[in-house]
Structures are given as C-alpha cells and as structure tokens.
Amino acid sequence: MKLCLALLAGFLLLASCGGSPEPPREMLAADRPDDWGGAIRIEWSASPSRMLPKSAFTGYRVYRADRPLGPWSLVFEGDREAGAFTDTGAGDTAWYYRVTAVVHGVDSAPIGTPGPVTAHPNLKAVDAPNDWGGAVLLTWGAHPSALLSETTLRGFRLYRAADRAGPFEPLADVGADKGSYLDATAGTTPWFYRLTVLVDGTESPPVDAPEPVAALALARAIDRPKDLGGTIHVTWPHYRGEGLKAYRIYRGPGAEGPWRLLDEVPPPANQKSQPAEYFDRNAPEGPAFYRIAALAGGPEGASEVAFVATAAPVTAVASWFVENRYKSLLAVFIFTSIVLGWVWTASRKISAGMLIGFVLYAALYAVVILMADMGLPAALVILLLPLVSVAIPLVKRGGKIYIRPIPALQAVEEAIGRATEMGKPILFVPGISSIGDIATLAALNILSPVAEKAAQYDSRLIVPNYDPIVYTIAQEVVKEAYLKAGRPDAYSDENVFFLSPRQFAFAAAVSGLMMRERPATNFFLGMFYAESLILAETGNMTGAIQIAGTDAITQLPFFIVACDYTLIGEELYAAGAYMGGDPKLTGSLKGQDWNKALAILVILVLTGAFFVYGVISDPGKWRQGLRELPELLFKVEAEE
Amino acid sequence: MKRNVPIALGLIIGLVMMTTYFFPFMDDVYRLVLQWSPVISGFAVALSIVSFVMSHWMKIRRRSPGRAYNMLALASFAIMLLAGGLRGLFPESKMFSFLGDIWGKSEESPFQWMFQNILLPMEATVFSLLAFYIASASFRAFRARNVEATLLLVAATLVMIGRVPLGEAIWSGFGPLQEWIMEFPNTAAKRAITIGVGLGIAATSLKLMLGIERSYLGKGD
C-alpha cells in the first residue's frame, strides 16, 4: 500500500514538472473605450499552468506584431496573477497580439487574436439620449496631456463638418477638465466631428469621430390637407425640462437655415391632453424646414435651451377642393335657393329652362353635400331644406308679393317731378368706384329708371363720372333709357361725361357743377369715400332735394345728416327692384329679405343656445361672469 | 342676341370666378380673367379722354358761362399730356434732358413737379374743406327735432366729450362711456348693416349672373 502511494505521488510530480506549459485558454484584445485613442486593452484567462509551483510558472508574456506571422515584439511581461494589460503605445497601427504563459523561463504555445486590432482615437459622437432631439453628445477620454500642468494644457477645440473632407468649422472651445460637450445646434444634419488639444498655444493633430452622427428629428411638419395651400401644420413632443416658458418656431429654406423666427407660442395649459403644435399660415411656396426652440429659464430670464427640428422638407400645396369652405358653399346654395324660390314664386310661368336649371342645380347641390362628407342625416336636412324652398314656389307661383316700403325710393319720382317743375336739371353721381364694385352696378341699375323718368318728364339729367369704364356703361344706360322712353332725340352725350379719376378733383368738379347748374335734385348713389360730405353739403347749400345711398358704412352718417333721403346699405341694392317693377326682381328682393330673416334667426338661436349651454354646463362661471359684467361693459378701472 | 350674349357671358364668367374660391386649382383662370380687365380699361380711358375734351370744347364753343374754367381744364390737360406723354414716348430724347437742365432738377421731371406741387396741394385743399363741412353738417344734424335726432345729439355729445382731455378732467367716466357707446351699440348697428350689405351684394350678384337684373345693359327684355 505504501508503495502504491509513493508511486502515485512520484507520477504526479513527474507529470507536473516534466509536462509542456499551457497558454491561457481565452484572450481578448480591443480598443479601450473612452480614452484618447492609442490604447488597446488585452485580457486573458488564467493558464492551466498556474497549478505549478511559483518557481516553475512565473507569469505571462504579451507580444504584438503588425503582421500575422510576426516578427513579434514583447510588450508586456507580468506575474502569474496578471490577467490584463493595456498597450498604451498602440498608436494608430493595426496590431496582432498573442499571450504566452512562462514556465521555467520558457514560453508556452501562444494564444492570439484572430485579426488585427486598432486603437481608434475615441472621440465619440452620439445623438444625445433622452433629449428633445437636435443635439449631439460628444465624449472623449483623458488625454495623456492631462497629466501636464493646467498652465500647459489649455483645453480642447471641437470642430464639425457636413462632409468628411471638410471644411471643418470650429464648434467650441472647452476646458481642460472637460471630457464631453453637447452640440445643441446639430439640427438634423449628419455631422463629422473633430477634436484637437490646445497645448501651450499650439493645436495638436486632430482626432476625428469615426462616423457621422445626426440628432434625432422629432418635429413633424405636414401640409394641411384640403386647403388653399400656404399652411403647414407643425407638431412636436412637449419639452420635459424645467422652467418652460414658451416655444419659438423658426422656419428655414434648408435643414441648416437660415432660420427666421415666425412666432413665440406659450405651451399648452395641459400638456397631457393638448399637443404642441403650430400652424404656419404663411408658408412659402417652396420646401421649408421647421425648428422649434424651447424657451426656458428662471426668474432672471429665459433662453433657448433645447431644439427640435423637422428631418424632411415640407411644401404647402393647394388642394383641389378647399374643405373648410364647404360651409360657405352650402350657405351659397341655401341663399340661392331662397332667392330663386321667390323669383319663381313671382314668375307667372314655368319655362323648360327653369325646370332644367332646377334639376342641374339640385344635382350640383347633392354633389357638394356628398363632398362635404357630413353624415347622412345632416346631409339630408341640409339638402332638403333649400330644395323645398325652391320647389314650393314652383308649385305655388304667381302670387302677389308684398315688399316693405322704402321712403327714399318712393321719393324718387317726386324729386324728378320737382326738377321738372322748377326747370332745373337732375344730377346723378354713380359713386367713385370701379365697375367691379357691386354698389356701382346697383347705382347703374337705379340710373336706368331715373333716366327713363327724366326723359319722360323732359328733364335734363347730368351724369358726371369718375371711372372710365363706368362712364362708358353709364352712357349706354342713359341712352337706352331715353330710347325706351321714346325720347332718343332728348339724349345728349354732353350730359353724361367723364370728369376726373382723382378723388378730390372729382369732388371739386362736381361741387362746381352744382354751384353753377343749381340742379333741383341730386342723386348720390354707389360707393363713396371722404368726398361724400363735400358733395352732400354743397348740394345742401344749393337747396336741392338730395337722395343718397351707399353701402360704405363710414359714409352713411354724412349722407344721413346732409341729404333728405338715404338708402342705407342693402336698400341701395333693392332700389332697382322697387323702381323697375319687374316681378322677378321683386321676388329676388323678397328672397333677400327672407335670407336676412334666416340670418337673424340663426344668430338669435345660436346665441341663445350657447348662453343656455354655458349656464347649464358651468353655473359657477356664469355667476362670476355676471358679477364681472359691469366691469366688462364699461371697463371701469379700479381706482387706486 | 344683344341681351342674351352678355348675360350668358356674365353667367359663365361669374360661375367660373365663384368656383375659383372653392377650387384653388382654377386660380390661374381667375388671374387670367383679372388680366383682361386692364385691356378693357385701356379702351375706356381713350373714350373718357375724348369725352373730357369734347365736353369742355363744346362749352367753350357755345360760349357758355364760366367757359374760362373749361379753357383752364383743357390747357392743364394739354400741358400735363405734353409733360408726361412725350417724355414717355421719347425717354432718350436730348430735348427732355435739356428741359431738365433748364428746370434745374434733373432728377425730377416737369410732370412730377407739377403733380407734386400743383395737383396734390389743390387736392389737399379740397380735402381740408371737409373739416368745415363736418362742422356745418353736425350743427344741422344735432338739432333735437324728434326722438331720434335727440338720441343722436346725446350720443354724439357724450362721444365728443369722452374723446377730449377736457371730458376726462370733468368726469373720469366720460372716457369709458364713450368707449362703451362706440364698442357696443355702434358696433352692433354697423354689423347689422354689414350683414345686410353682404346679403344684398350676394343677391345682386345672383341677379346679375342669372340675367334677372339687366338694367345696366339697357332696359328691356
């Protein structure tokens, strides 16, 4: 038994001393992160030979070579506890590394890296995490020069370029104690970054980040659909930082600007339910980028602390149909229906053209309703109401229509008769606007019956004109009226003439005309501006009976105080119907009045409904509003 | 034919112009139609000039009273036409640079000079008459003849007093009171007129487009 144990111990001793040394089982060589570059860290696992006595297994050796097969140079020799080594002299060469265990001064078989390893200069550029986008975080490790005194190492200088070949533009200088920098102006461009060390006034060779990096663009900009164009809807995530005061919205033609400040908007009161958004209603025709800055800060002041930008350009284009105008289109149809209904009511016959027109009208209206996409019940109501208003008069046609009397129009004949009796002329001024103004057309519509009556009474009608086109039309209207009255011989071109296209020259000329000719009756109908009172007062001084009418609200008071009769606003448009006596015109006037009644009804109903809704939904607020009403109405400031 | 063609044209153009409001792709048509307007204006201006000259000339010829004014109007017209028109026709002509040198203001043509120093001051003079006319019209309007006129008188007095510093000095409530009058009753009345005007314009446009209103074309069916 003793013999057996002795043999076993001798065998083990012989095996341990006389066997070949073994290398570590695993090894790893990699560029060291977060350093300045030029350093490669090699790590390995323990060698099985560690079981040998200390006198036999002394440690490990690390070799490197720039080629796979050597020649190998020793870069490190460590003791038996060593497991890692950092090769700080790696520079920018691609190295092959191998590690051996040393037993009795002899290297074991090596374990090596499968491929070369390069120590990259570790300037790292990444999209700043957990931020608002638009920012790149740059980090770099401790530079060997950091060991130098502060008076020697001045700091670091960062550059960036949109292209790897440059040109690199200086971005910032940072202190020697810094190892990172946040580029908050990165926008959406993929930037190439570069770093240099400032030592004693000189700049080291640059170190480049290996890859370009772009900050995440979180803002979103879309062309608002179904609009006239020119509107872009921009949305972005809420800024989550402290002290947010407002968002500033910028627009630029390119991803890098130049940026133009569009607006500064406060953040929504409830950031959970309300999105951060902005409508750029003056968007340019071409592509545009948007950038939003978060304005934050304390009581001492706010500054732009973070940015978010759109990644892609957006162009505002016009849709083929403007969706938000379909309500106007429906209003046009309703209005037209009521007017046409009354026109047909006043008509004494139904022609084939009327029926065809009605069918076409109904079809077109139905198409518009379908386009509006408002749901079947609402569509039916909106479709049927006006169509019924058209259809009923088609059945019950030919009735007598009552229209409310307008004193100014009833006085027209009397005024013309007065001029005839006095043997003085009649002056008719059709405003000082162009033919594109409906008020001018309304004035010309009144001119026709006035001229006809003047011709019948053999009174001289003077029509001075301000606008060349209006002059030619007025001439034709008066000529036709004289013809219709059977007095073409009484018409003279001299009485319908062009004066001046200058406002006050025209006013002066007409005033002079009134003073010299002393007309018995003056008509001032159409669009007037500041000259209205000059004309009306001059006419008043001459003692003429004056009938004025305009839809210019600012001039109405002048006419009211200086003239005998005034057609206020829409009455000007009704005059043609009153004086013409055409049943269709009378019907249209009735339709116009019904539309006005409808508008009043809608205003009253909606106002009442909103009022009741407000009282029911929030009685407290209503009571508070009631308490504040006197202050709101009179705006009486609290006395100090 | 004389009536129906203009009415048909009016209907088509009116519908097209109205449609462009809802369909922006027709905006080019809208602009094209607007471009035609100056062409028509050009012809109308020529007719207007003929009318102007003939109107004054006939009065001179007939030896009408005040014909001196007609002569002055024609002379002014001729001078301005020469000063502006000939230079426009011959911008490089040495004659005009010679005139400019005589004038002493080479950067300012005789036309511009007359426009700036004769026409504009005269227009300003006519405009300034408005102040006196407002006073006389107010005097006449503010007589308390009936209830409406009395209301007008009271409202106008309050507004006038509230808008001058003296009113504030008398009573600090005049300012807010006139603001209230202008902001609520006045605005309400103005909006009522505006709504009526809007409906009137729409109805008149409809009548013109459909040929219901055709007085402006000359009376008759």
Side-chain angles (χ1 to χ4, degrees), chain A residues 325 471 494 502 537 633, chain B residues 21 62 123 136 140 180:
Chain A
R325 289 189 178 175
Y471 153 67
E494 288 178 38
R502 302 285 303 177
E537 271 296 283
L633 286 177
Chain B
Y21 178 75
R62 278 204 306 265
E123 286 187 337
S136 65
R140 200 168 46 252
W180 184 85

Side-chain angles (χ1 to χ4, degrees), chain A residues 154-240:
Chain A
R154 303 290 183 192
F156 303 96
R157 179 166 293 163
L158 286 157
Y159 296 83
R160 74 179 183 189
D163 189 84
R164 186 182 291 278
F168 280 86
E169 58 187 29
L171 178 63
D173 284 356
V174 293
D177 57 332
K178 304 288 184 189
S180 65
Y181 177 77
L182 186 71
D183 178 11
T185 62
T188 54
T189 306
W191 291 107
F192 291 88
Y193 287 94
R194 170 172 283 184
L195 180 68
T196 60
V197 185
L198 305 174
V199 181
D200 265 345
T202 60
E203 205 168 344
S204 74
V207 172
D208 291 343
E211 299 294 337
V213 62
L216 277 180
L218 296 175
R220 186 162 173 260
I222 55 166
D223 173 38
R224 194 173 65 173
K226 294 184 180 180
D227 70 350
L228 266 176
T231 300
I232 299 288
H233 184 203
V234 189
T235 54
W236 61 91
H238 286 295
Y239 175 70
R240 301 295 178 193

Side-chain angles (χ1 to χ4, degrees), chain A residues 39-61:
Chain A
I40 294 173
R41 183 167 178 81
I42 302 107
E43 295 178 5
W44 59 89
S45 61
S47 166
S49 300
R50 73 183 185 285
M51 300 300 292
L52 295 175
K54 288 182 181 175
S55 58
F57 174 57
T58 53
Y60 301 94
R61 285 176 184 157

Side-chain angles (χ1 to χ4, degrees), chain A residues 319-320 322 325 329 441 445 468 471 477 480 484 494 498 502 504 537 553 561 570 573 588 592 633-634, chain B residues 2 21-24 48 51 62 123 127 136 140-141 176 180 194 196 200-201 204 207-208 213 216 219:
Chain A
S319 167
W320 71 277
V322 184
R325 289 189 178 175
L329 194 54
L441 281 170
N445 285 334
Y471 153 67
V477 167
E480 287 283 338
K484 187 162 189 295
E494 288 178 38
F498 172 76
R502 302 285 303 177
F504 291 108
E537 271 296 283
I553 292 173
V561 299
E570 55 167 331
Y573 306 115
S588 72
Q592 187 181 326
L633 286 177
F634 292 100
Chain B
K2 190 181 172 186
Y21 178 75
F22 302 102
F23 301 96
S48 303
S51 165
R62 278 204 306 265
E123 286 187 337
F127 190 20
S136 65
R140 200 168 46 252
W180 184 85
T194 306
I201 287 175
T204 307
K207 285 185 280 184
L208 293 172
E213 177 71 82
Y216 70 101
K219 195 69 183 171

Side-chain angles (χ1 to χ4, degrees), chain B residues 72-94:
Chain B
L72 190 62
L74 282 182
S76 305
F77 171 75
I79 291 168
M80 290 299 270
L81 185 70
L82 282 172
L86 289 180
R87 177 147 195 169
L89 287 173
F90 309 104
E92 302 299 327
S93 170
K94 289 181 180 176

Side-chain angles (χ1 to χ4, degrees), chain A residues 227-229 285 318-323 325-326 328-330 332 335-336 339-340 343 371 438-439 441-442 444-446 448-449 452 460 467-469 471-473 475-477 480-481 484 493-494 496-500 502-505 507-508 511 513 516-517 530-538 540-541 550-551 553-554 556 558 561-563 568-570 573-574 576-577 580-582 584-585 588-589 592 595-597 599 603 632-637 639, chain B residues 2-3 15 18-27 31 37-38 40-56 58-59 62 65-67 69-70 115 119-120 122-138 140-142 145 152 172-173 175-177 179-181 183-184 186 189-208 210-221:
Chain A
D227 70 350
L228 266 176
E285 289 186 358
S319 167
W320 71 277
F321 177 70
V322 184
E323 190 181 42
R325 289 189 178 175
Y326 81 86
S328 307
L329 194 54
L330 290 179
V332 167
F335 178 86
T336 309
V339 172
L340 285 181
V343 168
M371 282 197 312
I438 297 289
L441 281 170
L444 292 174
N445 285 334
I446 301 169
S448 180
E452 198 179 325
R460 186 180 162 218
D467 183 86
I469 295 180
Y471 153 67
T472 53
I473 296 172
Q475 206 174 34
E476 284 301 311
V477 167
E480 287 283 338
K484 187 162 189 295
D493 276 345
E494 288 178 38
V496 185
F497 51 89
F498 172 76
L499 265 181
S500 169
R502 302 285 303 177
Q503 181 185 14
F504 291 108
S511 298
L513 195 68
R516 286 191 301 274
E517 301 279 353
E531 75 293 335
S532 62
L533 189 61
I534 296 174
L535 300 177
E537 271 296 283
T538 310
N540 193 283
M541 281 189 284
T550 183
D551 60 3
I553 292 173
T554 49
L556 277 171
F558 297 137
V561 299
C563 295
I568 298 173
E570 55 167 331
Y573 306 115
D582 184 347
K584 288 179 186 171
L585 287 174
S588 72
L589 187 60
Q592 187 181 326
N595 271 302
K596 195 160 69 175
I603 289 170
L632 183 73
L633 286 177
F634 292 100
K635 293 183 176 173
V636 179
E637 293 174 7
E639 291 185 14
Chain B
K2 190 181 172 186
R3 299 277 185 276
L15 281 177
M18 193 178 80
T19 311
T20 57
Y21 178 75
F22 302 102
F23 301 96
F25 67 90
M26 294 181 73
D27 203 40
R31 290 181 189 178
S37 176
I40 301 167
S41 299
F43 287 103
V45 166
L47 288 172
S48 303
I49 291 171
V50 172
S51 165
F52 177 85
V53 174
M54 289 305 293
S55 169
H56 290 285
M58 291 306 288
K59 284 175 185 168
R62 278 204 306 265
R67 60 184 176 279
Y69 299 117
N70 302 113
F115 184 83
L119 184 65
L120 288 185
M122 287 198 298
E123 286 187 337
T125 306
V126 177
F127 190 20
S128 66
L129 291 175
L130 201 57
F132 303 100
Y133 284 141
I134 285 175
S136 65
S138 304
R140 200 168 46 252
F142 293 164
R145 290 166 296 187
L152 181 69
S172 62
L177 191 59
E179 265 185 43
W180 184 85
I181 290 170
E183 199 166 332
F184 293 96
N186 186 50
K190 276 164 69 174
R191 284 184 185 163
I193 295 174
T194 306
I195 290 171
V197 167
L199 291 171
I201 287 175
T204 307
S205 304
L206 189 65
K207 285 185 280 184
L208 293 172
L210 297 177
I212 297 170
E213 177 71 82
R214 54 183 71 184
S215 303
Y216 70 101
L217 295 171
K219 195 69 183 171
D221 295 321

Side-chain angles (χ1 to χ4, degrees), chain A residues 247-251 260-266 278-279:
Chain A
Y247 293 114
R248 279 184 183 160
I249 293 90
Y250 294 88
R251 184 181 66 212
R260 180 188 158 204
L261 178 64
L262 296 179
D263 207 347
E264 186 174 309
V265 294
Y278 179 74
F279 285 93

